[in-house]
Amino acid sequence: FFAVKTISLSKLRLQRDFQRIADKLNREVQILFKLRHPRIVSLFDVIEEHDKLHLVMELVDGGPEGIELFDYIVSRGSFTEPVARYVFLQIVDGLAFIHMKDIVYRDLKPENILVDEKASRREEGLFEVKLSDFGHSKLINDGYSTALTRVGTPQYWAPEVNDPVKAARGYDQTVDLWSLGVVLYVMLIGAYPFDGVGQPIEEQIRKARFNFRSQARGGQECSPQAQDLIRSLIRVDPKQRLKLDACRTHSWAALPGGILGGGQVNFAQADESRVEEERIRL
């Protein structure tokens, strides 16, 4: 089955910032057409009809908690380490493919990670996920395009995005590594590492200081291995952030439950042409 996202162009034209919205939509469409991967929501077709635009996309069915990973975190307070590990490695696989296509995600967060309930192993408490919403993503290394603007969600911003001066100089895919560390923190702790409480969030991000005390888990901290992985990603210096390949082989990821399906799958080599076309569910 497919999902059809219908956008009213006539209503969009009434918006003051129509051009910005149109540019964002066009960017998302162009990027999604380049991405065919098991961990990414696929766009199959774009149909323009009168004043409407129809995006024919992969259908992702959520569960009782909702469809966004964020809903599942809120429902549980936080994830156990085996569950977080299983989800984390899927995100790494999807992100690696995105980066291989010279794309900066720029808005990696649980709200943009969808849970595929039908494919999930609920009896084991394990979720299959897919990355979505590429409206803030940007192609780089194309000879003329550089990521310069402050986009995304502040709680997940890397310092070079958070600082307007640094953002104006440009940044690369390493901003996604910082966000990946924040996503893992949120899954395990059930709170943001940088929340603006006590001091401005910009200052918290600039210093990259946080602790691992989880209110949702009775004040217990996550394991030293998990803390090490998170700290290896949430680093002020972009060059020091742990690379995605190293995330896969980190000691925390190698623990039981850290290997997907009994063996690490290299989804970057996945066959992009394998698309099972059935019918459109309207």
Side-chain angles (χ1 to χ4, degrees), residues 88-126:
F88 174 80
L89 286 171
Q90 294 176 73
I91 298 171
V92 168
D93 282 328
L95 201 55
F97 186 80
I98 291 169
H99 287 181
M100 187 179 73
K101 295 293 186 179
D102 288 329
I103 295 170
V104 187
Y105 196 167
R106 299 206 293 182
D107 201 18
L108 179 63
K109 59 183 179 181
E111 292 90 333
N112 287 341
I113 301 168
L114 306 186
V115 175
D116 187 351
E117 180 68 20
K118 287 185 177 179
S120 295
R121 294 148 58 182
R122 180 167 280 275
E123 67 281 358
E124 301 175 48
L126 301 177

Side-chain angles (χ1 to χ4, degrees), residues 124-178:
E124 301 175 48
L126 301 177
F127 311 125
E128 299 293 326
V129 300
K130 293 176 180 285
L131 306 183
S132 70
D133 195 347
F134 291 83
H136 287 312
S137 300
K138 190 173 182 67
L139 283 165
I140 59 172
N141 298 333
D142 57 3
Y144 61 88
S145 182
T146 303
L148 297 171
T149 54
R150 300 173 79 209
V151 299
T153 304
Q155 287 89 347
Y156 298 88
W157 274 352
E160 60 270 31
V161 179
N162 175 64
D163 186 330
V165 176
K166 290 182 179 178
R169 296 181 191 140
Y171 48 83
D172 58 17
Q173 289 134 324
T174 53
V175 300
D176 292 335
L177 301 178
W178 172 286

Side-chain angles (χ1 to χ4, degrees), residues 3-7 25 29 43 45-47 53-57:
V4 179
K5 179 179 180 181
T6 300
I7 299 167
L25 176 61
V29 167
L43 173 67
D45 200 3
V46 177
I47 302 169
L53 193 67
H54 305 286
L55 306 183
V56 183
M57 308 183 73

